[in-house]
Amino acid sequence: MEKLGELFKKYRELIVYVFVGGLTTIINWVTYALLTQCFGALNLSIANTIAWAVSVIFAFFANKFWVFEHKSDEHILREFMTFLGARVLSGLIEIGGFALLVDVLLFNDWIVKIGIAVFVVIANYVLSKFLIFKK
């Protein structure tokens, strides 16, 4: 058990990031599902964009305070704007990739969301760790 505690301590940031990334993905998917199920006439790409925006707001606060433990609010506007810029970049990849693969090439929307989510989580971790919340 002590060995497990040491491993968690050593890899805490990555473990918590993966957990928060999972929660962020769940928030994205649940929002998307609610929008597409409750508002069936809503364009799938519009629903995907709204789901992305909701999940980005959650992700900023979870990453700032829980993953990277930036407790100070001193640079919160700069951090948020940088975070938002990085998420816009990965969001454009997600939204553009989704639109291309689902709306144009007619791939299954959920398979596309899963594939893109893997790429986005990895890219966002790298950007967050080395650009936004660097120590």
Side-chain angles (χ1 to χ4, degrees), residues 77-88 127 131-132:
L77 183 59
R78 180 195 58 80
E79 289 172 340
F80 182 73
M81 295 309 290
T82 307
F83 186 88
L84 184 60
R87 291 312 192 266
V88 165
L127 291 170
L131 178 68
I132 302 161

Side-chain angles (χ1 to χ4, degrees), residues 5-26:
E6 290 174 21
L7 281 174
F8 180 79
K9 187 175 181 179
K10 182 176 181 180
Y11 296 106
R12 181 211 158 280
E13 182 181 278
L14 186 58
I15 292 166
V16 175
Y17 183 82
V18 169
F19 179 74
V20 166
L23 288 177
T24 302
T25 301
I26 289 168

Side-chain angles (χ1 to χ4, degrees), residues 62-77:
N63 279 287
K64 176 174 177 50
F65 295 111
W66 198 26
V67 175
F68 299 104
E69 298 181 314
H70 277 226
K71 304 296 185 197
S72 170
D73 291 336
E74 182 179 345
H75 302 288
I76 195 167
L77 183 59

Side-chain angles (χ1 to χ4, degrees), residues 45-65:
S45 288
I46 292 171
N48 189 56
T49 302
I50 294 168
W52 172 83
V54 169
S55 63
V56 164
I57 292 167
F58 166 78
F60 171 73
F61 290 103
N63 279 287
K64 176 174 177 50
F65 295 111

